[in-house]
């Protein structure tokens, strides 16, 4: 009996203790919840949809455009409006990797590679000419590539006028004392024909007329071209040989337009050749051509190489490696990032920055791309060395940004207004396109004509491009657009205007300029099509559109550039794939 009482007392005691713990925790949680809500209320942020940099803790008007400020999502972690956080588990699953811009100190990341050739030093070239008329009786140097030295016998020539001049000399000898002026004039005449004093004295001493005369080399070098054959009749001043002094040669490189700003006279160049794979040769940039080749969009850069050991042969292919780091005349080290870090859409190229190296916090950044070098892009604007960018798993990071309503590749928040009637056409370029399924099915039917138009520009056939553009415009006019929104209607209108401009103009340069904008608008709508009839490749040439870059769509992965045609057929790369759905 006593034991039962003891057990009951213990049970009641334990029950009271557990009840205390439960209700005590509830009060704590309630208190904490109350505190959090208060905190959240105080952390509300009001911002402008057009100017997100304008933020304040209460409603009001934007001081820049006057629009009503809208309530932004509360960020308990103190992140800016464009920053977002990912979990470490999500980063691990997506294999997201980052790298420090400029942190790679390898030679590859800080150098510019140029392709070129060895050429003769034109400043050291010379020609061997005749100084009198005649017929070539014999050539002593008969082939290109032979070495000649100054004073070497090159050929013998029969010259009737030289025979007559010798007879005049022999006659003038007898009048030497009575008419010394006549004698000296005849001698000087022979000297003008490049006869030496020794040759003239031999004629005087022998008293006989020579029928053939030798021609001696006036310079040393290598015969780069033989211009005559035995038996040819030559006139005064005619070229017999072109002779190159190969003791020095030129290393010439083709530099694309968007690389010119990276180069300066005096920069060091390390030169490599296929002939000597284990050797490299140092030189300096001595000349940058002031005139751009309009066909290839390149300028010639050259260096002078010492070639006394005859290592370099004109025509050799070479590679020049120029260090960009700390180069004289270059304001700062170039910013290079891997191509895998760049996402491209419409007119924008974007990357994701890891804003805190110790935490998985990211932010989208728009960049301006320069030239591509291997598997890297030169960044003209948008990133500085030392920043940390996402190099693997970029699409996953972008998806996370979209899910959290942050700035992303397809969601450029600063271009969104509450009232669409206030938007200009230019401000609509980055707004997400929403197409009906019916319009998408009709729109893709004009793509066969588009590809014919692209191929006509690849072939530089302006007449064919004009005819196809007119046909494509008619096809576009047959598509029902009454159910489109204002944004989508503007894109269709821009496409139609671009096609009419190409159709009404037979100037190839003008057609290609209109093709730039046409592609931007077509691509914007294509990305909104739900059902893709085939797999297409979005390709981009960084040198088109005055070096700003331009895109086009292709059925094939192979690059065939419509903006330059044969001049630079393979300039470009695949930047996106629109897969068949």
């Amino acid at each position: 009996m006593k034991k039962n009482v003891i057990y009951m007392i213990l049970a009641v005691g334990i029950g009271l203790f557990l009840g205390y713990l439960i209700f005590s925790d509830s009060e704590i949680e309630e208190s904490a919840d109350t505190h959090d809500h208060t905190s959240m209320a105080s952390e509300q942020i009001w911002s402008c949809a057009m100017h997100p940099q304008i933020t304040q803790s209460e409603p009001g008007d934007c001081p820049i455009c006057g629009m009503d400020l809208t309530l932004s999502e509360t960020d308990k972690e103190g992140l800016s409006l464009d920053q977002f956080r990912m979990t470490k588990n999500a980063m691990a699953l997506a294999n997201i990797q980052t790298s420090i811009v400029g942190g790679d100190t390898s030679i590859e990341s800080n150098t510019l590679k140029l392709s070129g050739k060895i050429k003769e030093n034109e400043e050291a070239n010379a020609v061997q000419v005749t100084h009198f008329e005649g017929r070539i009786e014999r050539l002593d140097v008969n082939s290109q590539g032979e070495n000649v030295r100054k004073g070497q016998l090159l050929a013998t020539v029969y010259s009737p006028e030289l025979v007559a001049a010798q007879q005049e000399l022999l006659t003038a000898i007898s009048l030497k004392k009575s008419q010394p002026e006549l004698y000296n004039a005849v001698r000087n005449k022979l000297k003008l024909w490049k006869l030496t004093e020794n040759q003239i004295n031999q004629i005087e001493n022998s008293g006989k007329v020579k029928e053939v005369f030798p021609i001696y080399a006036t310079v040393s070098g290598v015969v780069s071209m033989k211009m005559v054959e035995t038996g040819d009749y030559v006139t005064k001043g005619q070229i017999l040989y072109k002779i190159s002094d190969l003791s020095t040669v030129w290393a010439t490189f083709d530099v694309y337009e968007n690389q010119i700003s990276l180069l300066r006279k005096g920069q060091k160049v390390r030169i490599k050749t296929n002939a000597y794979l284990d050797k490299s040769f140092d030189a300096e940039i001595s000349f940058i051509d002031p005139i751009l080749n309009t066909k290839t969009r390149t300028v010639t850069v050259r260096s002078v190489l010492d070639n006394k050991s005859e290592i370099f042969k004109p025509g050799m292919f070479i590679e020049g490696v120029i260090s960009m780091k700390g180069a004289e005349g270059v304001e700062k080290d170039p910013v290079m990032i891997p191509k895998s870090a760049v996402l491209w859409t419409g007119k924008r190229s974007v990357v994701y920055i890891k804003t805190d190296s110790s935490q998985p916090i990211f932010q989208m950044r728009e960049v301006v791309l320069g030239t591509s070098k291997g598997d890297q892009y030169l960044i003209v604007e948008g990133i500085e060395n030392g920043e940390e960018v996402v190099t693997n798993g970029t699409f996953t990071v972008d998806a996370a940004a979209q899910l959290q309503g942050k700035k992303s590749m397809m969601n450029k928040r600063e271009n969104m207004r509450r009232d669409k009637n206030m938007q200009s056409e230019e401000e609509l370029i980055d707004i997400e396109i929403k197409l009906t399924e019916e319009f998408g099915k009709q729109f893709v039917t004009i793509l066969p004509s588009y590809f014919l138009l692209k191929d006509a520009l690849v072939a530089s056939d302006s007449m064919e491009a004009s005819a196809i553009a007119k046909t494509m415009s008619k096809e576009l006019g047959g598509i029902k657009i009454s159910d489109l929104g204002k944004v989508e209607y503007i894109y269709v209108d821009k496409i139609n205007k671009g096609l009419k401009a190409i159709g009404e103009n037979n100037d190839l340069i003008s057609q290609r300029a209109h093709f730039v904008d046409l592609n931007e608008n077509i691509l914007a709508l294509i990305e909104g099509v739900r059902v893709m009839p085939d797999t297409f490749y979005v390709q981009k040439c960084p040198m088109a559109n005055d070096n700003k870059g331009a895109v086009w769509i292709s059925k094939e992965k192979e690059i065939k550039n419509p903006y330059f045609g044969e001049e630079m057929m393979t300039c470009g790369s695949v930047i996106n794939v629109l897969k068949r759905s």
Side-chain angles (χ1 to χ4, degrees):
M1 190 70 178
K2 291 181 179 179
K3 289 183 178 180
N4 290 337
V5 173
I6 293 172
Y7 289 148
M8 290 177 65
I9 293 172
L10 288 173
V12 171
I14 292 171
L16 290 173
F17 179 72
L18 291 174
Y20 169 78
L21 291 177
I22 292 171
F23 288 108
S24 177
D25 287 346
S26 299
E27 290 176 1
I28 293 171
E29 289 176 3
E30 183 178 356
S31 175
D33 289 343
T34 303
H35 175 74
D36 285 342
H37 286 298
T38 304
S39 176
M40 285 177 65
S42 65
E43 290 177 5
Q44 287 183 340
I45 298 175
W46 298 76
S47 67
C48 174
M50 277 298 295
H51 304 94
Q53 70 271 24
I54 302 299
T55 60
Q56 60 186 46
S57 58
E58 58 186 16
D61 297 333
C62 175
I64 298 177
C65 63
M67 289 179 56
D68 292 338
L69 300 182
T70 58
L71 180 63
S72 302
E73 294 182 4
T74 303
D75 194 335
K76 302 178 184 179
E77 301 177 345
L79 304 182
S80 70
L81 291 176
D82 295 330
Q83 292 178 343
F84 59 96
R85 182 186 294 274
M86 294 184 67
T87 65
K88 293 182 179 180
N89 186 45
M91 291 184 63
L93 288 173
N95 192 27
I96 294 172
Q97 299 174 14
T98 62
S99 63
I100 304 296
V101 179
D104 184 359
T105 58
S106 67
I107 294 177
E108 290 292 326
S109 64
N110 292 299
T111 59
L112 178 65
K113 289 185 178 180
L114 302 173
S115 298
K117 279 185 178 180
I118 295 293
K119 292 186 177 180
E120 302 163 2
N121 184 344
E122 294 178 8
E123 296 175 349
N125 286 351
V127 293
Q128 183 69 51
V129 302
T130 60
H131 299 281
F132 45 81
E133 295 182 358
R135 183 181 67 248
I136 296 178
E137 294 294 309
R138 189 183 73 211
L139 285 176
D140 289 86
V141 175
N142 286 290
S143 61
Q144 182 177 326
E146 286 192 51
N147 284 299
V148 298
R149 63 185 181 281
K150 186 175 182 179
Q152 179 179 337
L153 178 64
L154 298 178
T156 54
V157 177
Y158 167 74
S159 173
E161 68 174 358
L162 195 54
V163 170
Q166 291 178 79
Q167 290 174 342
E168 290 178 7
L169 177 62
L170 295 177
T171 302
I173 292 174
S174 61
L175 302 174
K176 182 177 180 180
K177 292 183 179 180
S178 60
Q179 298 184 33
E181 294 84 1
L182 176 61
Y183 169 75
N184 290 329
V186 173
R187 283 183 65 92
N188 288 334
K189 182 179 180 180
L190 292 173
K191 289 180 181 179
L192 290 174
W193 286 340
K194 297 300 179 182
L195 268 67
T196 64
E197 285 282 351
N198 187 42
Q199 288 176 312
I200 296 172
N201 291 334
Q202 286 180 1
I203 296 170
E204 287 188 10
N205 294 333
S206 65
K208 295 180 180 179
V209 174
K210 282 189 171 183
E211 293 186 354
V212 294
F213 267 81
I215 296 178
Y216 297 103
T218 56
V219 293
S220 299
V222 175
V223 176
S224 57
M225 189 175 295
K226 187 182 75 163
M227 310 292 288
V228 292
E229 299 291 343
T230 301
D232 287 351
Y233 187 86
V234 294
T235 58
K236 188 183 299 182
Q238 183 173 336
I239 298 175
L240 302 178
Y241 303 95
K242 288 185 178 180
I243 298 175
S244 301
D245 182 359
L246 298 182
S247 60
T248 60
V249 292
W250 283 348
T252 61
F253 305 96
D254 290 327
V255 177
Y256 286 112
E257 191 173 358
N258 55 0
Q259 296 173 326
I260 297 174
S261 62
L262 300 175
L263 304 179
R264 299 288 186 276
K265 287 185 180 180
Q267 276 181 280
K268 302 293 183 182
V269 185
R270 178 152 293 183
I271 296 172
K272 298 180 180 180
T273 71
N274 290 333
Y276 308 98
L277 295 175
D278 57 337
K279 292 183 180 180
S280 60
F281 308 89
D282 294 328
E284 293 183 355
I285 294 178
S286 60
F287 175 79
I288 300 176
D289 197 333
I291 300 174
L292 181 75
N293 185 322
T294 55
K295 291 185 177 180
T296 61
R297 309 304 299 175
T298 61
V299 297
T300 299
V301 173
R302 70 171 181 249
S303 301
V304 179
L305 294 172
D306 181 82
N307 194 37
K308 292 184 175 63
S309 56
E310 300 182 354
I311 290 177
F312 301 106
K313 315 295 181 186
M316 272 185 174
F317 286 107
I318 56 174
E319 179 186 72
V321 181
I322 301 176
S323 174
M324 295 290 99
K325 190 172 181 64
E328 183 180 354
V330 178
E331 294 181 359
K332 58 182 181 179
D333 293 344
V335 179
M336 305 294 297
I337 65 172
K339 289 183 177 179
S340 61
V342 181
L343 297 178
W344 184 93
T345 176
K347 292 184 176 180
R348 296 188 297 150
S349 297
V350 303
V351 300
Y352 278 93
I353 303 294
K354 189 177 182 184
T355 57
D356 189 332
S357 60
S358 62
Q359 299 185 56
I361 299 173
F362 301 92
Q363 180 178 343
M364 192 202 80
R365 184 84 59 80
E366 292 190 28
V367 295
V368 178
L369 301 181
T371 182
S372 63
K373 186 170 73 70
D375 61 351
Q376 293 187 315
Y377 278 124
L378 173 67
I379 300 300
V380 177
E381 184 181 332
I383 301 178
E384 298 295 335
N385 283 323
E387 294 190 279
E388 189 171 358
V389 299
V390 177
T391 55
N392 191 68
T394 316
F395 278 103
T396 303
V397 176
D398 183 77
Q402 293 185 49
L403 289 172
Q404 296 184 41
K406 302 294 185 177
K407 277 179 61 177
S408 65
M409 179 175 66
M410 299 303 295
N411 177 27
K412 191 178 181 183
R413 292 176 57 185
E414 59 265 38
N415 276 353
M416 299 294 290
R417 293 189 183 183
R418 294 173 62 190
D419 183 1
K420 286 189 177 180
N421 293 325
M422 298 176 65
Q423 290 169 317
S424 66
E425 293 183 8
E426 289 74 15
E427 292 169 333
L428 295 171
I429 192 67
D430 289 308
I431 295 177
E432 184 178 359
I433 302 299
K434 296 181 180 178
L435 302 177
T436 63
E437 185 174 350
E438 180 61 27
F439 177 83
K441 289 180 179 179
Q442 293 183 61
F443 186 71
V444 295
T445 61
I446 71 172
L447 289 180
S449 295
Y450 167 83
F451 292 125
L452 290 176
L453 174 60
K454 185 262 296 181
D455 291 341
L457 294 176
V458 169
S460 300
D461 190 337
S462 60
M463 299 296 290
E464 181 72 8
S466 177
I468 296 171
K470 292 177 182 178
T471 300
M472 190 173 170
S473 180
K474 292 179 181 178
E475 293 175 351
L476 184 64
I479 298 177
K480 181 183 177 182
I481 59 174
S482 58
D483 57 349
L484 289 181
K486 179 182 176 182
V487 177
E488 292 75 17
Y489 178 82
I490 288 175
Y491 278 110
V492 173
D493 185 57
K494 284 186 174 184
I495 292 171
N496 195 36
K497 289 179 180 178
L499 290 171
K500 288 182 177 179
I502 296 173
E504 296 170 358
N505 196 330
N506 290 329
D507 179 67
L508 186 62
I509 295 176
S510 178
Q511 287 178 336
R512 284 169 168 165
H514 288 296
F515 195 58
V516 173
D517 292 330
L518 180 70
N519 278 306
E520 294 287 356
N521 293 289
I522 287 178
L523 186 60
L525 290 183
I526 283 291
E527 290 176 339
V529 173
R530 300 177 188 176
V531 180
M532 199 66 64
D534 205 346
T535 296
F536 303 126
Y537 299 92
V538 181
Q539 300 171 338
K540 181 177 182 180
C541 172
M543 300 187 65
N545 192 21
D546 293 329
N547 215 31
K548 298 174 185 175
V551 299
W552 70 93
I553 307 170
S554 178
K555 293 186 294 184
E556 303 84 19
K557 192 173 183 180
E558 179 185 3
I559 301 295
K560 291 184 179 179
N561 193 312
Y563 297 110
F564 293 104
E566 291 184 355
E567 293 179 5
M568 287 194 291
M569 183 65 74
T570 59
C571 179
S573 60
V574 176
I575 61 171
N576 195 14
V577 179
L578 305 174
K579 294 185 178 180
R580 182 173 185 174
S581 53

